[in-house]
Amino acid sequence: MIIVMRVGSSDKEIAGVVARIESAGLKAHLSQGVERTIIGVVGQIYPELRDRFEMLPGVDEVILVSKPYKLSSREFHPLDTIVKVGGVTIGGKEIVVMAGPCAVETEQQLLETAKAVKAAGATILRGGAFKPSTSPYHFRGLGEPGLELLAQVRREVGLPIITEVMSPVEVELVASYTDVLQVGARNMQNFSLLVEVGKSGKPVMLKRGFSATVEEWLLAAEYILAQGNDQLMLCERGIRTFETYTRNTLDISAIPVIEKVSHLPIIADPSHGTGKWYLVIPMALAAVAAGADGIMVEVHPHPDAALKDGAQSLTFENFQMLMSQLKPVAEAMGRCLASPS
Ligand code: PEP
Ligand code: MN
């Protein structure tokens, strides 16, 4: 249920409504716009509540939301959410580019890549230290030493970092190093992890599970938002289909769908979305043309020697080419590429 307050309603009226919500055993989430306040109500809602709340002083309208997700819906928060990472803003006019290796391997690999992607215009460095791996026999990341390398390279190169956290018990550790916590596709419905990243106070990027519908994805987002963390962005990274020429099928249509139904920024990951380096540039351009707020791309100094995801990683040269092709597409969409700070 969403309670729309009258334009110019007083703090006392808003507090009165919140108190009534809480005394009914429900939770209130405030969205304070320039003109009016919207209150999202979550919990066991029954239709009679609508009439009761509509009678309270300062209330303009009460809307029973038909969609199961609420805090992530545009009905609750009509304006776009802006996520702030260091000096970078995501979800506004600027298109953010997050780039780096799939996995942190060595200091040299990470440092070289960070310098190259920054020089080409990336504004956030990506790199996995805790890697989800389908097979337990494959490289599963350096763990905490990988986080240390990320933090060291951030200092040397001056790019904020994003890295994955896989377990609720590791949230505190990973959050102590990173600027953005990434929840991977395999963990989209790890509900205890979602609650912990929600409590962390850090910006979060929630990847779409490869078998998840948009609704399931937004319900997963709801777990994070319900903890009071509104610094959340979504990432479309491809879904599993019958097609075998690509690793996943990047669901470009999910981008305008999210933009329509949710206020959360939407990022596209054409690397995992295709699994093939030569499809990364065309799909990155398509994602931005479809309205994505940014892209996440895997880049490696020597993709043929990468410990993980080499086949979908761009060389430095190809990454530069991507950036030069992305600029006019962003501009055609009335946007611009975020510039490195
Ligand atoms: C990654 O970004 O390195 C990753 C493992 O992605 P996903 O969770 O989308 O597979
Ligand atoms: Mn990867």
Side-chain angles (χ1 to χ4, degrees), residues 102 126 131 247 272 298 308-309 312:
C102 177
R126 67 145 286 147
K131 292 302 306 174
R247 179 178 176 184
H272 295 89
E298 288 185 338
K308 224 168 166 59
D309 287 352
Q312 65 192 36

Side-chain angles (χ1 to χ4, degrees), residues 8 35 70 105 127 155 229 231 252 266 293 302 312:
E35 285 202 332
K70 296 178 174 52
E105 298 169 13
R155 272 196 307 278
N229 189 348
Q231 292 292 284
I252 297 274
I266 172 77
D293 297 298
H302 309 286
Q312 65 192 36

